[in-house]
Amino acid sequence: MVDLPPEVAGCEECLALGMRWVHLRMCQTCGHIGCCDNSEGKHATAHYRDTEHPIIRSAEPGEDWSWCYPDELMFQITQE
């Protein structure tokens, strides 16, 4: 599992294209930061389609959920 970086500037593609995003997601395979499906670019899902990296997590403050694209399953990883 990839930990969130201390600071997230924004969606990598949106920043490069001068676009806006709604919420951010982080790929748990490579750490790519992309925007959610409510954003115009839908770059997190596009990253999954391009790479088949299966799991993202929310990169929003206070959120600790993840999403598995192949299984269409939301989950939380808890520490015991």
Side-chain angles (χ1 to χ4, degrees), residues 11-39:
C11 171
E12 296 172 19
E13 289 83 1
C14 286
L15 288 168
L17 297 168
M19 297 172 68
R20 293 178 175 246
W21 58 87
V22 178
H23 299 287
L24 299 173
R25 311 293 181 232
M26 185 175 76
C27 175
Q28 289 296 279
T29 300
C30 70
H32 172 270
I33 301 289
C35 57
C36 70
D37 285 354
N38 289 328
S39 302

Side-chain angles (χ1 to χ4, degrees), residues 48-63:
Y48 163 67
R49 288 188 184 128
D50 291 344
T51 63
E52 297 185 12
H53 293 168
I55 298 174
I56 57 169
R57 68 176 283 182
S58 175
E60 293 297 312
E63 295 185 355

Side-chain angles (χ1 to χ4, degrees), residues 57-70:
R57 68 176 283 182
S58 175
E60 293 297 312
E63 295 185 355
D64 62 355
W65 58 267
S66 298
W67 176 259
C68 176
Y69 282 105

